[in-house]
Amino acid sequence: MANEPTRVLLDESQIPRNWYNILPDLPKPPPPPLHPATLQPIGPDDLLPLFPADLIAQEVTRDRHVPIPEDVLDVYRLWRPTPLIRARRLEKSLSTPARIYYKYEGGSPSGSHKPNTAVPQAYYNARQGVRRLTTETGAGQWGSALAFACAQYGLACEIWMVRASYDQKPYRRTLMRTYGGTVHPSPSAVTTTGSRILAEDPGCPGSLGIAISEAVEVAGGHDDTRYALGSVLNHVLMHQTVIGEEALEQLAMLGETPDLIIGCAGGGSNFAGLVFPFLREKLAGRMGPVLRAVEPAACPSLTRGVYAYDYGDSAGFTPLLKMHTLGHTFVPDPIHAGGLRYHGMAPLLSHIYELGMVEAVAKNQSECFKAGLRFARTEGIVPAPEPTHALAETIAEALRCAETGEPKVIVTAVCGHGHFDLPAYEGHLAGHLEDVPLPQERIDTALAQLPAV
């Protein structure tokens, strides 16, 4: 045991050369996005006002592997490959026979997994001659990642940050500005959408759905501008599979086969990026891990939402997506895991959940912050509030193993560090963070406004 490595490192030459597209390996394809006016499947031309042709092609491709451009790999080398770490001190504190491994994505320039897709999105837009990207961000991980990526390719970056997070995480917006981005609190007076919402509710805490509407509104009104999304869409999930592909190779180097893979899920990019390569191996009969998503109890789209066609944004600018949703008008309580406060789940991940290939549980933020503290005090890394959801379930599972004696191999992803989230930890340490119940009536009210399909 003493000679077994704690950190499994790969060489730069072992960075994946392809993104993995899970669509060809599924038993049936997911329902297509629909045009909101005609209710017919959208075509590539419908997406051209928002995305460059290369990303649209990746969104619909049936190719199992999509080559990563050399210019993207060159930027990836700033932080990839990322380590797989054995959480020995956490295991010891839990007195568990389980072996816990975590893929650490917090070493990227912006401190999370988000540059894995921000860099290629900026690259393809720049190659098409786009001059500016607009986007939304919750906790600020995606906004700072896209601002960084735009700086690599000479693009301007304009970001709408959910108001609750804008106020809670001032240094995240400072980081975006450091990379050259322009940041607005959302809802903002800059857009028609934001102005309307502020007129109705001046104290609105915002939501990712509202911020998406604002970013899409601005992108759609300028020929030199396109929109970039940090989660939800197929090409975004595909870009994140570099996480799982590396983890597969690292576990193989140890001779380990996972029994359980746990990831936090809001829009779905982190969870999909970790588990899709393992799901490929499971579908091929080469391993059989349980795949478990963990979402916030304050925004539980998988565990309490419905599987239905809905808008990806609050104002109804986007195509209709078949996904697990709480309703596009649902505004979550301002929990500190801002990156998980999205009303829907990625359509591809929702489809896979409907097929019974993954599980889902929901956690309150108090349990998650307790897990974050335990992880920080044993492993030394302060995790962002988002991955504390996965860590809370990892700890719960490891304690079950302590009771049963099962030596399970548990794999999770710490998808970002929490250095910009210390005020949230301070609130937890001071006893100020509360778990606010989510009444079913709030969900029902939002679901009543689902589009008729």
Side-chain angles (χ1 to χ4, degrees), residues 275-323:
V275 307
F276 278 6
F278 288 93
L279 180 53
R280 175 191 64 214
E281 301 303 300
K282 185 175 183 177
L283 290 171
R286 291 186 283 267
M287 59 177 62
V290 172
L291 310 173
R292 187 174 299 156
V294 189
E295 60 183 5
C299 195
S301 59
L302 285 174
T303 54
R304 294 180 65 184
V306 299
Y307 187 50
Y309 273 103
D310 196 9
Y311 295 104
D313 70 311
S314 295
F317 293 148
T318 67
L320 296 174
L321 307 173
K322 187 70 176 290
M323 61 183 178

Side-chain angles (χ1 to χ4, degrees), residues 153-431:
Y153 299 106
L155 299 175
C157 185
E158 193 163 2
I159 304 151
W160 277 262
M161 186 175 186
V162 174
R163 180 87 220 194
S165 294
Y166 185 93
D167 294 336
Q168 291 169 348
K169 305 175 193 299
Y171 297 116
R172 270 287 172 197
R173 62 180 192 254
T174 300
L175 182 61
M176 294 179 229
R177 290 167 177 153
T178 300
Y179 285 137
T182 300
V183 190
H184 309 287
S186 174
S188 74
V190 176
T191 67
T192 302
T193 300
S195 297
R196 174 181 56 79
I197 292 171
L198 288 174
E200 297 171 355
D201 180 9
C204 178
S207 70
L208 281 167
I210 295 170
I212 291 171
S213 293
E214 296 200 82
V216 169
E217 178 184 322
V218 172
H222 297 82
D223 291 338
D224 65 348
T225 303
R226 292 295 183 270
Y227 168 69
L229 188 62
S231 192
V232 178
L233 296 180
N234 294 353
H235 68 270
V236 181
L237 274 57
M238 183 180 69
H239 295 159
Q240 292 293 354
T241 58
V242 292
I243 302 172
E245 295 285 26
E246 288 180 6
L248 268 171
E249 186 163 356
Q250 288 161 317
L251 288 169
M253 290 167 63
L254 293 171
E256 291 277 40
T257 302
D259 298 298
L260 174 63
I261 302 175
I262 300 171
C264 64
S269 69
N270 163 70
F271 182 73
L274 175 65
V275 307
F276 278 6
F278 288 93
L279 180 53
R280 175 191 64 214
E281 301 303 300
K282 185 175 183 177
L283 290 171
R286 291 186 283 267
M287 59 177 62
V290 172
L291 310 173
R292 187 174 299 156
V294 189
E295 60 183 5
C299 195
S301 59
L302 285 174
T303 54
R304 294 180 65 184
V306 299
Y307 187 50
Y309 273 103
D310 196 9
Y311 295 104
D313 70 311
S314 295
F317 293 148
T318 67
L320 296 174
L321 307 173
K322 187 70 176 290
M323 61 183 178
H324 275 265
T325 179
L326 296 165
H328 62 280
T329 62
F330 179 78
V331 177
D333 291 312
I335 59 169
H336 283 274
L340 305 184
R341 295 177 67 246
Y342 182 58
H343 67 269
M345 188 60 66
L348 183 52
L349 184 53
S350 296
H351 175 64
I352 288 171
Y353 181 70
E354 284 295 302
L355 294 176
M357 295 178 174
V358 299
E359 302 176 353
V361 297
K363 297 281 185 183
N364 285 310
Q365 68 174 352
S366 59
E367 180 185 355
C368 298
F369 273 100
K370 289 177 183 176
L373 288 181
R374 187 162 200 159
F375 190 80
R377 292 169 181 176
T378 54
E379 294 299 310
I381 293 172
V382 179
E386 290 80 10
T388 63
H389 289 68
L391 290 171
E393 180 61 16
T394 296
I395 288 171
E397 187 69 31
L399 290 174
R400 287 191 283 270
C401 289
E403 294 177 357
T404 64
E406 295 176 274
K408 286 185 180 180
V409 175
I410 304 172
V411 178
T412 189
V414 176
C415 57
H417 66 63
H419 299 170
F420 295 103
D421 304 287
L422 291 178
Y425 277 92
E426 179 63 28
H428 173 70
L429 291 166

Side-chain angles (χ1 to χ4, degrees), residues 19-22 24-25 61-66 238 280:
W19 294 300
Y20 167 58
N21 175 27
I22 198 171
D25 293 328
T61 184
R62 299 293 299 179
D63 294 339
R64 182 172 284 105
H65 299 288
V66 175
M238 183 180 69
R280 175 191 64 214

Side-chain angles (χ1 to χ4, degrees), residues 87-110:
R88 294 185 185 278
R89 288 169 176 77
L90 178 62
E91 293 170 9
K92 184 178 179 181
S93 78
L94 299 171
S95 300
T96 180
R99 299 192 294 283
I100 301 171
Y101 295 91
Y102 61 96
K103 186 73 166 154
Y104 184 52
E105 294 291 306
S108 77
S110 62

